Amino acid sequence: MMERYRAQRIRGLLALGAAAGLLLTGCGAGDSGDSSADNNGYASGFPAPDHTHSTGGTGEQKNNDGNDDSESRDFEAAPDYLSTFALDVDTASYGYARRALADGRLPDPSTVRPEEFVNSFRQDYDRPDGNGFTVTVDGARTDREDWSLVRVGLATRPAADADERPPAALTFVIDISGSMAEPGRLDLAKDSLGVMTDQLRDDDSVAIVTFSDEAETVLPMTRLDDNRGDIHDAIDSLEPTDSTNLGAGVETGYETAVEGLREGATNRVVLVSDALANTGDTDADTILERIASERREHGITLFGVGVGSDYGDALMERLADKGDGHTTYVSSEDEAREVFCEELPKNIDLTARDAKAQVAFDETTVSEFRLIGYDNRQVADDDFRDDSVDGGEVGPGHTVTALYAVRTRPGTEGHLATATVRWLDPNSRAPHEESGRLETGSLDSSVWSASPRFQVTATAAYFADALRLGDDRWTALPGGSHLSELASRADRLATTTEDEEVRHLADAIHRATDLTGQD
């Protein structure tokens, strides 16, 4: 990885001499220096014109003011000013960080992923009528000279009522290893699954697989119909036993899902675990390959639900990424019921497959930029329209937010960035695109005078940045402040938005302030 980084720096210096003053100093973020001009570099250009596929929604290009903009893709792409990544709706990193802080400890910086902090909060983006996305691009200037935060917001249609979604075929893979005996693990999962069983429709199906030192199919794929009692009995019988053979659980879970595969239904494996594999096949790559092969053959996606004060965050995230799914983390009964009951359509249904975003910055107004987070979701720019390359799977009711630190050239005005999202229809696999753009004149004068939801986004990102402070793998966000000041801003935002989740954010920042001694 470092060799790639050195190569990028050398290329930047050569370009500096050739371009008479263009600043091409490489500012990509990555947990191992994993950034290059193919992902997060600097150059001119816009997404390449593509007239072979239809767009989603109305099919019109929209700028941030909602006006038609047919020119937003009439430019040749130049790789150094493009940023391309697979969409990600994971939130587990933020949930686990909150749990660690509540327990009186700071989270390990390696478990802090800023995009999962940002994507944990409600946004007020416009939503499309059908499958696909709307694109919102906005931004605000920081108090650091020439630096701004630019937000790319993607939103799917609202989740349908329970009786309007497709039927679901859910294979629950439940960790019953000894570590799951800790309060707030298996007991939490059992209670939530019991409530969920009562809320599923008669035409939904459920299978249950358990794993400890071995894996067992406790319940084959079973229609709810008149079988709710049998499903409740299977859930109630779950008891913690021995060690954690996660590989066996995943393999048996996918075998059970394939045996119970239903055409026309949403087929998904739901893994509930602390992801602390300690016996059997513990090699992540082997486990991941099993998931990938089943996804390719049968389109079965993975939803990972993490539990426990000790949690294998990195493994769960990799499992979900390879399984074309997403992860969340629950530590309380309320959070578990929200995931398994209130947000069930969002977490099991799909509105877009293999979704990717590409943001093109204008070299005439932008000197450098950096995508905040998405370190493990980078995609080569040339693969943006290669639909064989994996993207992200997104369900109804989801929003995806990407935040950029952008340095504008002094005194310049005009076009700043164009963002394009590409996805496949979940049923027909037909490709679609939608774009949005931002002008420098539309930047708010200050992050802290922008809309409340933009301020929440910035606060979450700055909080994640502060929790990674001291780790030289990441560059600090421009315009950051002490945790105590950030906590005060979060307090005000909680009052302004009347949002309980923003109140929880403020509480978490206060705890971090106390633990770090940043008054």
Side-chain angles (χ1 to χ4, degrees):
M1 296 296 183
M2 290 303 297
E3 290 300 317
R4 292 179 64 194
Y5 182 76
R6 292 190 188 100
Q8 179 190 358
R9 298 285 293 185
I10 292 170
R11 182 171 57 203
L13 290 173
L14 291 174
L16 179 63
L22 286 179
L23 178 59
L24 302 173
T25 54
C27 187
D31 57 4
S32 314
D34 186 15
S35 62
S36 70
D38 287 336
N39 293 329
N40 234 14
Y42 310 90
S44 62
F46 303 84
D50 177 31
H51 304 295
T52 61
H53 302 300
S54 64
T55 58
T58 62
E60 297 175 340
Q61 305 300 319
K62 301 286 186 179
N63 66 15
N64 65 307
D65 294 321
N67 297 321
D68 293 352
D69 179 21
S70 59
E71 298 181 359
S72 61
R73 282 193 268 150
D74 293 342
F75 299 89
E76 287 296 325
D80 290 344
Y81 269 84
L82 291 174
S83 171
T84 309
F85 59 95
L87 268 55
D88 189 353
V89 295
D90 292 352
T91 59
S93 175
Y94 173 68
Y96 187 45
R98 276 186 55 201
R99 169 65 183 267
L101 291 166
D103 288 345
R105 56 189 172 86
L106 292 170
D108 186 320
S110 67
T111 68
V112 176
R113 294 183 291 278
E115 72 276 16
E116 297 188 23
F117 279 54
V118 165
N119 281 313
S120 294
F121 298 94
R122 181 173 65 83
Q123 301 290 350
D124 292 331
Y125 305 139
D126 290 337
R127 293 185 181 273
D129 295 329
N131 287 342
F133 298 88
T134 56
V135 182
T136 301
V137 192
D138 57 8
R141 300 188 183 275
T142 73
D143 58 8
R144 185 174 168 189
E145 187 177 7
D146 299 327
W147 282 94
S148 298
L149 296 184
V150 170
R151 180 177 65 163
V152 176
L154 311 172
T156 59
R157 61 171 169 78
D161 293 337
D163 58 351
E164 295 179 359
R165 63 169 172 80
L170 308 177
T171 301
F172 287 92
V173 180
I174 312 296
D175 186 346
I176 58 169
S177 61
S179 61
M180 292 291 286
E182 174 191 299
R185 297 195 186 195
L186 185 57
D187 59 331
L188 193 64
K190 289 172 63 175
D191 178 71
S192 303
L193 293 178
V195 174
M196 183 205 67
T197 297
D198 292 331
Q199 294 193 347
L200 288 172
R201 298 192 322 229
D202 287 346
D203 61 344
D204 291 328
S205 302
V206 169
I208 298 176
V209 171
T210 61
F211 67 94
S212 54
D213 54 337
E214 295 180 347
E216 176 187 3
T217 300
V218 176
L219 182 77
M221 193 63 72
T222 303
R223 291 281 185 112
L224 270 292
D225 287 330
D226 297 325
N227 299 311
R228 295 178 195 271
D230 294 336
I231 297 171
H232 277 294
D233 289 343
I235 294 170
D236 293 341
S237 70
L238 304 181
E239 296 292 340
T241 55
D242 301 313
S243 51
T244 310
N245 192 338
L246 183 61
V250 168
E251 183 171 17
T252 304
Y254 271 84
E255 288 174 353
T256 302
V258 170
E259 290 172 2
L261 194 72
R262 289 181 56 187
E263 293 295 331
T266 300
N267 295 273
R268 177 157 287 201
V269 169
V270 182
L271 174 62
V272 183
S273 176
D274 57 18
L276 300 174
N278 56 22
T279 192
D281 190 352
T282 60
D283 179 67
D285 290 336
T286 305
I287 300 172
L288 293 168
E289 182 52 38
R290 292 172 186 162
I291 291 177
S293 62
E294 300 297 347
R295 175 196 62 78
R296 286 192 296 267
E297 282 189 52
H298 304 289
I300 300 172
T301 56
L302 178 71
F303 176 38
V305 182
V307 295
S309 55
D310 293 321
Y311 168 55
D313 169 77
L315 178 56
M316 184 69 91
E317 185 207 15
R318 292 182 65 196
L319 288 169
D321 286 350
K322 199 73 170 182
D324 279 350
H326 64 285
T327 65
T328 191
Y329 177 87
V330 298
S331 61
S332 69
E333 184 175 318
D334 287 343
E335 290 175 356
R337 290 187 180 226
E338 182 178 5
V339 167
F340 288 112
C341 301
E342 297 172 27
E343 296 186 348
L344 189 65
K346 180 167 73 172
N347 289 320
I348 64 173
D349 200 5
L350 285 179
T351 60
R353 287 188 180 272
D354 288 322
K356 311 182 196 86
Q358 186 171 85
V359 183
F361 292 91
D362 191 331
E363 67 172 330
T364 62
T365 56
V366 174
S367 62
E368 54 183 301
F369 64 89
R370 176 163 62 95
L371 174 61
I372 310 306
Y374 292 92
D375 301 327
N376 300 327
R377 306 292 282 166
Q378 300 288 324
V379 174
D381 297 328
D382 290 344
D383 289 338
F384 177 59
R385 293 194 174 98
D386 183 346
D387 296 325
S388 67
V389 174
D390 281 349
E393 271 55 40
V394 184
H398 274 131
T399 60
V400 180
T401 299
L403 199 65
Y404 286 85
V406 179
R407 189 174 189 177
T408 53
R409 299 186 185 280
T412 57
E413 296 181 358
H415 178 263
L416 191 147
T418 295
T420 303
V421 60
R422 182 180 177 88
W423 72 95
L424 304 182
D425 182 274
N427 299 315
S428 68
R429 303 298 179 100
H432 301 274
E433 293 185 8
E434 189 66 69
S435 294
R437 58 184 281 149
L438 179 67
E439 306 292 316
T440 58
S442 296
L443 291 171
D444 277 287
S445 59
S446 168
V447 167
W448 306 117
S449 65
S451 70
R453 288 294 164 186
F454 187 97
Q455 293 184 52
V456 170
T457 299
T459 300
Y462 281 130
F463 182 36
D465 201 48
L467 293 175
R468 300 200 299 186
L469 191 65
D471 192 322
D472 58 9
R473 289 177 294 177
W474 297 286
T475 304
L477 268 174
S481 55
H482 289 294
L483 280 171
S484 57
E485 181 182 347
L486 200 61
S488 297
R489 294 189 186 281
D491 284 333
R492 290 193 290 272
L493 285 168
T495 301
T496 300
T497 61
E498 299 181 340
D499 186 337
E500 184 179 3
E501 292 304 317
V502 180
R503 170 51 57 198
H504 292 329
L505 172 63
D507 292 343
I509 300 174
H510 279 292
R511 291 191 184 99
T513 303
D514 293 339
L515 289 170
T516 59
Q518 293 188 33
D519 297 327

